[in-house]
Amino acid sequence: MSHEVSTQPRDLPILATTESTAGKTYIVTGANTGLGFEAAKHFVRLGAKRVILAVRSIPSGEAAKQKIDEATATTDVAEVWALDLSSYASVKTFAKRAITELDRIDAVIENAAVATAEQTRAEGHGLSLTVNVLSTFLLAVLLLPKLKESAEKYGVLPHLSIVTSGVGWDVRETWEKIREDPLVRMDELPSEQLMVTYPLSKLMDTLAVRELAARLPVEQGKVVINSICPGLCKTELVRNCPPAQKQAIVEQHELYGRTAEDGSRTLLAGSVLGKESHGAYTSNCEIRECVAPNL
C-alpha cells in the first residue's frame, strides 16, 4: 500500500457547477455502477441536457437510469446506450451513433474498465488490454472529430478524460520487461501474474494520454485530453479479483477508501479543468506534475 493511498484526502471539492455544465452533453462509460454512475448522476443534477450512460448491460443501465431519475427528479436527461468494450464492432457502432444522433458532445468520460485474473481474451488480446486500453482509445479517436466539431460550433472547450489509476506507477519493474512490445508481452504473462495486467493497462492509459495530447495540441484538436486517477474507492471493480487479493483490497477500502460518490468528483474535475490539464495526469481533482518522468 502506497503512502499516497493511506493519506488520500476525502470530501473532495466538486469543481463542476451548473454554470459549467448546464445545457451540455456528456458521455460516461461504465455508468451503471460505481464512479461512472455517480459522475453521471452529478452531471444530471448539474443541469446537463443529455447524459449518455454507455453500458455493456442494457438492463443494468436502465436500473441505473431509474435511480438517477429518482435522485434528480428528472426523466429526460439520462439515456442508456449499449457499449461493449470487449468488441471493436460495438465501439464503432456506439461512436457512429454518437456522431449521428448527438448534436454536440462536451465531454467523454472513459471510466469503464475490468480487473480480472482469468485468462479471458477479446479481439485477440487479454480482456484487460482490450477493454482498458485498446477499445478505450479506439472510442477516443473515433469521437475526437465530433468533439472538435462541437468546439467550433458552440464555442466550448470539450474534454476527453481517461480514468486511470495510481497503481500503474507501482508496476514499473514489470513495465520495463514488456515495454518494447507491450501488446504482445502483456498477453504472454503467466496465469499467476494476470492481476498485474490491470495496473499495467492503467499505466499504458496514462502514457497514451500523454502521447495523444502531444500529437494533438489543444490549438489544433480543440479538445482537452487528460487522465484521471480517482484514488482508492469503494466500488465493484475488485469483484473478479482472487479471494485473497480481494480481501486485502476490501480491508484497505475500510481503512482509507473513498466512497464512489467522493471518487466521482475527480471525474467531474477532469471534465472542467482548463487547457493546462491537456496531457496531464490528474489526482485529487488537481493536476499532478512530474509523475514518473523516466517512463
Side-chain angles (χ1 to χ4, degrees):
M1 177 185 62
S2 69
H3 172 72
E4 185 171 346
V5 166
S6 64
T7 59
Q8 68 176 5
R10 305 185 205 184
D11 297 321
L12 295 170
I14 300 179
L15 300 183
T17 63
T18 300
E19 182 178 352
S20 65
T21 60
K24 295 182 177 180
T25 297
Y26 297 89
I27 294 173
V28 184
T29 70
N32 60 298
T33 187
L35 301 174
F37 169 79
E38 296 293 346
K41 184 165 64 175
H42 274 302
F43 284 129
V44 174
R45 177 181 61 79
L46 290 167
K49 179 183 178 181
R50 300 179 77 173
V51 179
I52 308 303
L53 313 182
V55 298
R56 182 176 59 84
S57 167
I58 292 296
S60 295
E62 292 293 350
K65 170 180 162 50
Q66 182 176 349
K67 292 177 182 178
I68 290 172
D69 289 350
E70 292 173 353
T72 60
T74 184
T75 58
D76 58 353
V77 176
E79 304 176 28
V80 180
W81 289 22
L83 173 64
D84 182 356
L85 291 172
S86 69
S87 164
Y88 296 156
S90 177
V91 174
K92 293 174 184 177
T93 298
F94 178 91
K96 183 177 180 180
R97 181 182 180 186
I99 292 167
T100 303
E101 296 186 19
L102 299 177
D103 60 342
R104 63 190 288 171
I105 302 176
D106 293 273
V108 179
I109 311 296
E110 295 212 57
N111 160 75
V114 297
T116 180
E118 297 180 1
Q119 290 182 308
T120 304
R121 297 181 75 82
E123 300 291 358
H125 293 284
L127 189 64
S128 292
L129 180 56
T130 297
V131 170
N132 301 356
V133 183
L134 300 177
S135 284
T136 290
F137 280 90
L138 173 61
L139 180 62
V141 170
L142 291 174
L143 292 181
L144 278 171
K146 182 70 175 186
L147 287 162
K148 181 179 182 180
E149 175 190 291
S150 301
E152 295 173 336
K153 184 176 181 179
Y154 295 98
V156 295
L157 183 62
H159 287 65
L160 171 65
S161 297
I162 308 294
V163 177
T164 184
S165 174
V167 299
W169 308 122
D170 297 331
V171 292
R172 280 174 276 188
E173 183 176 339
T174 304
W175 173 251
E176 288 301 323
K177 297 177 181 178
I178 73 167
R179 64 182 298 172
E180 295 303 320
D181 196 356
L183 299 187
V184 172
R185 294 188 180 180
M186 190 165 158
D187 283 333
E188 294 175 345
L189 290 171
S191 58
E192 64 271 15
Q193 294 184 30
L194 286 181
M195 279 309 298
V196 80
T197 59
Y198 175 77
L200 282 173
S201 72
K202 291 302 177 179
L203 178 59
M204 293 169 71
D205 283 341
T206 302
L207 298 178
V209 163
R210 290 183 181 179
E211 182 66 20
L212 182 59
R215 290 174 177 266
L216 193 66
V218 176
E219 292 72 19
Q220 176 183 344
K222 312 297 183 183
V223 179
V224 170
I225 305 168
N226 54 33
S227 59
I228 306 165
C229 172
L232 180 68
C233 300
K234 301 173 184 178
T235 70
E236 298 178 9
L237 181 64
V238 300
R239 61 185 178 274
N240 295 319
C241 292
Q245 186 171 6
K246 180 178 180 180
Q247 181 59 35
I249 296 173
V250 168
E251 290 175 1
Q252 288 188 21
H253 282 171
E254 294 303 315
L255 289 171
Y256 310 111
R258 293 172 175 149
T259 64
E261 187 280 320
D262 198 8
S264 76
R265 300 178 186 190
T266 63
L267 277 60
L268 297 182
S271 73
V272 297
L273 289 171
K275 292 181 180 179
E276 65 276 10
S277 73
H278 188 63
Y281 172 90
T282 69
S283 177
N284 299 331
C285 300
E286 300 175 343
I287 298 169
R288 297 291 298 275
E289 300 295 344
C290 300
V291 179
N294 294 324
L295 285 177

